[in-house]
C-alpha cells in the first residue's frame, strides 16, 4: 500500500510522515543564444559545480514541469494596458488573437524548473530544548510526531530543526543557478499537477485532501489513467534504462522543448559516502574483469567500448579517492500525457525514438507505472529501484537542466514563433514569441537593456517593413503617439490598397484604423514648398546648425573653400537676427548679393536647387504653414525621392538632394520626440542615409541617449547594422531584429552587433535566413531565430510590400 508522502508543508518546505523535510526552489531560467557553445559550456560548468556542492545533502529532486501558457490570461492582461483613441480596436484584435492562438497553440507550455533538497535535521540539544521549553504545545506536537501521531500543522520546533540546512541549500543553489524559494501556492500547484496531468491545470489553491483527489487506474499495462469528476487523462512514465558512456552534447533535459506536446521530467539523485562510492567503482571493475575473462575464453578481441569505459573508470576511481568527487545515483524518468491513450502512445514512441538517436535508452515499463507515479510526487521515496543510473557531476551537467527557449516578453502582443531548433517552422514550432514595445525602459529585474529603442535591419524584401508595420499597429493600442518617416512614399499606398469595399462589413475596425491615420505627403508642388525648412520649425542654435548643415551639404564644398563656409554661417546668423520670419531662401539671396564671386556662385547654385523639384521642401521665405501632428498616428512621406543604394554615396544630383532632405526630416522627428507629455514612437525608415551625414549621425545619437527620459522609443529601420555597430550606439538600443545577411562580412558584423558567438554556424544561419525569418536580441540579452507571424488576413494584405505579379509567380511555380 503506497502512502502519500506529504504530512504537512510550510512556506517552501515539505514535511513527511517520517519526520523528514524537503525544501523546494524554482530556478531562474537560463538561456543561451543561437549556436552559442561558449555560453552553453558556462552553464555546464555551473551545473557540474552544483552537483559537487549538493553532495553535502542526501538526496536532490530535480523537476521540469510544463506549465500551459494561458493565452486568455495574457491577452486579458494586455488589454488592461490599452488606452486612447484605439483602445476599443485593440481589444477587438486581442479577442481575435485569443481565438486563433487557442486553436493553433493549444499545447504551448512554459517549462519551469524546480529543485527539491532533502534537508539535514539538527539533533535536539540543550539550547533547542531550552528555547522551546516554555512552549509545551510545540514540544508536545513534536513528541507526538516522533511517536507516529499525525497532524497537519507545522510547529516552530520542527521548523527550527531544518532551518539552517534550508538556508545552506538555498545559498548553494542561488550561487550557481539563481533561485527563488517557492511560495506555498506554487508548492500546492506542483502537488496538484501530479493528479491532473493532461487536464485543466490547478490554480494552486485548496486543502491537502483536495490537492490529491483523483482516481488512478493502472489497469492498462504501461499507462496510468487519471480520472476526475468531469475529466480524465492518460499518462506514461518512461524511465531511462541506459545512458551512453559519453553524454557530451546530449542536452537530454532540453532538446525536447521544441516538441508540440508537453514533456515532464523527474530526476532524483542520491549521494552516499565516499567509501560507498569507492565500493561502487570496485563493483564495476569486477564486471570488467568478468567481461575480460569471457573474451579470453571465447578467444575474441577486446571491445573498444569496454576499453574506453575501463580508462574512464580508472580516472574516476582516482578522482573519488584524491578529490572526493561524488557519484550521483540517479533515478530519471520522463512523463508524457494526453487526453487519450492513443495520443500518449504516439508521444511516448516519439520520445523513445528521439532519445534512441542520442544513444539514451528509455523504456515504458508495463508494471511499474504506479510506482513511478508515486515517485514523481515531491518528497516521495524511491520505490522503483530498478532504473538507477550512476552519473558523475560532468555527465549530469550535460543535461543542460534549467535551459529554456524563452525569448521576448511574457505579456505582449503575439509577434511570431521561436524556430531556433533545426527543422522548425512557423507551423511546427510551439514556442510563441510575445513583444511589448513599452517595457524595456522600466528597468525590469533581469533585463540587460533599459532602453526602448529598436533596430530592424536587413535587405529589401526579407520582411523589415512587414515586421515594422505589425509593431506599429499594435503599438497604437497603448495610446502611443507615432511619427513615421517614409522616404519611399509607400505606406499610405499599400495600406489603402488593402481596403476593399467588403471591409465595410468584414473588417470595419481595420478600415477605421487605417483611414484615421494622418498621412502627410510632401511633394515638389508649390503648396509644399518650405515645409521642411529648418528655420521655420526650429529655433536658436539648433535652427542655425541645421540650416548650415543643409546648405553646406547641397553646396558640396571642398575643404579649401573656407570663405564660402564662412559666408554661409554669416548669412544664416544674419537672417535669423534681422528677420522675424527667417527662411533658407532669404539666406540664399544674402549669398547671391555677396561681392565674393565664389560665394555669389554658390548662392546662385543653391537658388536653382531650392526653387526646383523636391528640394523646394527645404527652402522658403519664412511664411509657410507648419506640418500638423495633431493626430495620434502621423506618417510623413515624400514623393519622388530618388534614394541612393544602401551604403553608397549619392552619385547624382537627385540622390544628393534626397540625402540632404533626410537632415531636416530627422530634425522634425527629433522635435516631435522631445515632447515628454505622452509615450511616443519615432520611426526612421531608411535611417542608414541619416548616418551617412555628420548631422544625421549626431541626431540619431542624441535621440538614442535621451529617448528613455523623454518617453520616446526610436525605431531605426536600415539595410545594414554597420553604422550602428559602435558601443556608444548599440548600448542604447534595447531590442534588435536582424534579417538576412547578404555576405559573410555582413554576417560577421551582425553577429558582433547582436553580441552572438562568432562561428561558422551563426554566419551560415544568417546568410540562409528566408523571408520573414530574423535573429532577435531581446531586452534581456537573449538571442533566438524567430519567424514573424501575423494572425489577421486584413493586416497581412496591408503589410505586403510586393508589387502585384500578375500571375507570374504562379506560372513559374507550376513548372517546378
Amino acid at each position: 500500500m503506497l502512502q502519500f508522502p506529504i504530512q504537512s508543508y510550510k512556506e517552501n518546505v515539505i514535511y513527511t510522515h517520517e519526520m523528514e523535510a524537503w525544501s523546494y526552489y524554482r530556478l531562474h531560467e537560463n538561456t543561451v543564444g543561437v549556436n552559442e557553445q561558449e555560453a552553453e559550456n558556462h552553464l555546464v560548468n555551473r551545473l557540474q559545480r552544483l552537483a559537487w556542492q549538493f553532495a553535502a545533502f542526501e538526496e536532490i529532486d530535480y523537476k521540469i514541469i510544463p506549465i500551459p501558457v494561458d493565452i486568455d490570461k495574457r491577452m486579458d492582461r494586455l488589454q488592461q494596458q490599452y488606452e486612447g483613441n484605439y483602445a476599443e480596436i485593440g481589444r477587438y484584435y486581442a479577442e481575435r488573437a485569443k481565438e486563433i492562438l487557442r486553436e493553433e497553440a493549444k499545447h504551448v507550455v512554459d517549462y519551469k524548473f524546480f529543485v527539491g533538497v532533502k534537508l539535514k535535521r539538527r539533533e535536539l540539544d540543550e539550547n533547542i530544548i531550552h528555547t522551546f521549553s516554555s512552549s509545551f504545545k510545540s514540544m508536545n506536537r513534536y513528541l507526538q510526531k516522533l511517536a507516529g501521531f499525525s497532524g497537519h500543522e507545522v510547529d516552530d520546533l520542527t521548523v527550527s530543526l531544518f532551518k539552517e540546512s534550508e538556508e545552506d541549500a538555498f545559498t548553494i543553489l542561488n550561487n550557481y543557478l539563481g533561485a527563488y524559494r517557492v511560495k506555498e501556492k506554487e508548492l500546492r500547484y506542483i502537488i496538484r499537477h501530479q493528479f491532473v496531468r493532461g487536464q485543466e491545470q490547478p490554480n494552486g489553491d485548496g486543502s491537502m485532501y483536495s490537492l490529491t483527489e483523483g482516481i488512478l487506474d493502472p489497469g492498462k499495462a504501461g499507462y496510468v489513467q487519471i480520472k476526475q469528476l468531469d475529466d480524465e487523462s492518460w499518462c506514461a512514465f518512461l524511465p531511462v534504462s541506459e545512458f551512453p558512456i559519453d553524454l557530451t552534447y546530449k542536452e537530454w533535459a532540453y532538446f525536447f522543448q521544441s516538441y508540440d506536446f508537453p514533456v515532464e521530467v523527474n530526476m532524483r539523485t542520491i549521494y552516499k559516502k565516499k567509501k560507498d562510492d569507492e565500493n561502487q567503482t570496485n563493483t564495476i571493475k569486477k564486471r570488467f574483469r568478468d567481461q575480460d575473462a569471457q573474451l579470453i575464453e571465447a578467444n575474441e578481441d577486446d571491445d573498444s567500448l569496454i576499453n574506453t569505459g575501463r580508462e574512464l573508470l580508472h580516472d574516476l576511481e582516482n578522482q573519488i579517492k584524491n578529490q572526493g568527487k561524488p557519484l550521483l545515483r540517479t533515478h530519471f524518468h520522463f512523463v508524457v500525457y494526453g487526453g487519450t491513450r492513443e495520443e500518449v502512445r504516439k508521444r511516448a514512441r516519439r520520445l523513445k525514438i528521439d532519445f534512441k538517436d542520442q544513444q539514451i535508452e528509455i523504456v515504458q515499463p508495463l508494471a511499474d507505472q504506479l510506482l513511478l507515479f508515486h515517485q514523481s510526487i515531491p518528497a516521495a521515496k524511491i520505490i522503483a529501484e530498478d532504473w538507477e543510473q550512476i552519473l558523475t557531476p560532468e555527465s549530469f551537467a550535460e543535461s543542460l537542466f534549467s535551459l529554456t527557449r524563452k525569448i521576448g516578453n511574457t505579456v505582449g502582443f503575439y509577434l511570431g514563433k521561436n524556430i531556433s531548433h533545426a527543422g522548425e517552422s512557423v507551423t511546427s514550432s510551439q514556442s510563441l514569441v510575445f513583444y511589448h514595445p513599452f517595457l524595456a525602459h522600466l528597468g525590469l529585474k533581469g533585463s540587460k537593456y533599459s532602453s526602448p529603442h529598436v533596430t530592424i535591419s536587413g535587405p529589401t524584401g526579407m520582411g523589415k517593413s512587414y515586421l515594422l508595420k505589425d509593431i506599429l499597429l499594435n503599438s497604437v493600442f497603448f495610446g502611443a503617439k507615432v511619427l513615421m518617416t517614409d522616404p519611399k512614399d509607400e505606406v499610405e499606398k499599400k495600406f489603402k490598397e488593402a481596403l476593399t469595399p467588403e471591409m465595410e462589413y468584414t473588417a470595419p475596425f481595420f478600415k477605421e484604423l487605417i483611414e484615421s491615420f494622418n498621412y502627410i505627403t510632401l511633394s515638389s508642388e508649390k503648396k509644399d514648398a518650405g515645409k521642411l525648412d529648418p528655420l521655420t520649425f526650429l529655433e536658436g542654435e539648433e535652427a542655425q546648425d541645421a540650416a548650415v548643415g543643409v546648405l553646406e551639404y547641397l553646396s558640396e564644398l571642398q575643404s579649401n573653400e573656407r570663405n564660402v563656409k564662412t559666408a554661409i554661417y554669416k548669412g544664416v546668423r544674419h537672417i535669423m537676427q534681422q528677420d522675424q520670419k527667417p527662411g533658407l531662401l532669404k539666406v540664399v539671396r544674402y549669398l547671391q548679393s555677396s561681392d565674393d564671386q565664389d560665394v555669389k556662385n554658390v548662392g546662385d547654385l543653391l537658388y536653382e536647387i531650392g526653387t526646383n523639384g523636391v528640394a523646394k521642401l527645404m527652402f522658403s521665405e519664412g511664411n509657410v504653414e507648419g506640418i500638423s501632428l495633431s493626430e495620434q498616428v502621423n506618417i510623413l512621406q515624400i514623393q519622388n525621392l530618388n534614394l541612393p543604394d544602401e551604403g553608397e554615396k549619392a552619385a547624382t544630383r537627385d540622390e544628393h538632394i534626397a540625402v540632404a532632405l533626410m537632415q531636416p526630416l530627422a530634425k522634425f522627428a527629433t522635435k516631435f520626440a522631445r515632447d515628454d507629455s505622452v509615450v511616443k514612437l519615432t520611426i526612421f525608415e531608411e535611417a542608414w542615409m541619416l548616418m551617412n551625414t555628420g548631422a544625421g549621425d549626431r541626431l540619431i545619437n542624441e535621440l538614442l541617449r535621451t529617448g528613455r527620459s523623454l518617453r520616446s522609443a526610436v525605431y531605426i529601420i536600415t539595410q545594414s547594422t554597420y553604422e550602428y555597430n559602435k558601443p556608444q550606439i548599440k548600448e542604447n538600443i534595447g531590442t534588435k531584429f536582424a534579417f538576412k545577411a547578404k555576405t559573410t562580412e555582413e554576417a560577421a558584423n551582425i553577429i558582433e552587433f547582436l553580441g552572438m558567438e562568432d562561428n561558422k554556424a551563426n554566419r551560415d544561419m544568417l546568410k540562409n535566413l528566408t523571408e520573414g525569418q530574423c535573429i532577435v536580441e531581446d531586452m534581456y540579452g537573449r538571442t533566438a531565430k524567430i519567424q514573424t507571424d501575423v494572425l489577421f488576413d486584413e493586416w497581412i494584405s496591408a503589410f505586403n510590400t510586393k508589387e502585384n505579379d500578375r500571375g507570374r509567380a504562379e506560372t513559374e511555380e507550376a513548372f517546378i
Side-chain angles (χ1 to χ4, degrees), residues 740-752:
K740 182 175 182 172
K742 289 183 176 179
T743 65
T744 301
E745 293 73 22
E746 193 175 353
N749 183 67
I750 293 170
I751 284 168
E752 184 182 356

Side-chain angles (χ1 to χ4, degrees), residues 7-49:
Q7 190 267 341
S8 56
Y9 53 82
K10 186 172 185 179
E11 296 176 340
N12 68 315
V13 181
I14 288 174
Y15 301 90
T16 70
H17 296 284
E18 290 81 11
M19 280 301 295
E20 295 174 342
W22 287 75
S23 56
Y24 277 83
Y25 310 91
R26 179 164 63 88
L27 298 187
H28 298 174
E29 287 107 358
N30 282 287
T31 59
V32 298
V34 191
N35 300 318
E36 295 206 355
Q37 197 58 57
E38 187 177 331
E40 190 175 298
N41 290 341
H42 181 59
L43 173 60
V44 168
N45 181 259
R46 284 185 289 149
L47 286 167
Q48 283 181 27
R49 291 153 63 199

Side-chain angles (χ1 to χ4, degrees), residues 9 11 182-190 203-205:
Y9 53 82
E11 296 176 340
V182 299
K183 299 172 183 175
E184 284 192 11
K185 187 170 184 177
E186 288 178 292
L187 206 51
R188 289 194 294 269
Y189 184 101
I190 297 170
N203 57 17
D205 296 327

Side-chain angles (χ1 to χ4, degrees), residues 22 54 57-62 115-118 267-271:
W22 287 75
F54 269 159
F57 299 87
E58 261 184 57
E59 204 168 331
I60 310 296
D61 181 16
Y62 298 92
V115 175
V117 180
K118 187 177 181 181
M267 178 167 50
R268 196 75 67 86
T269 60
I270 300 170
Y271 292 92

Side-chain angles (χ1 to χ4, degrees), residues 239-241 330-331 368 371 375 382-389:
V240 173
S241 64
T330 306
H331 297 261
D368 284 352
L371 298 180
Q375 205 164 285
I382 300 295
I383 52 177
E385 297 183 346
D386 294 342
W387 312 107
E388 183 176 276
Q389 303 292 320

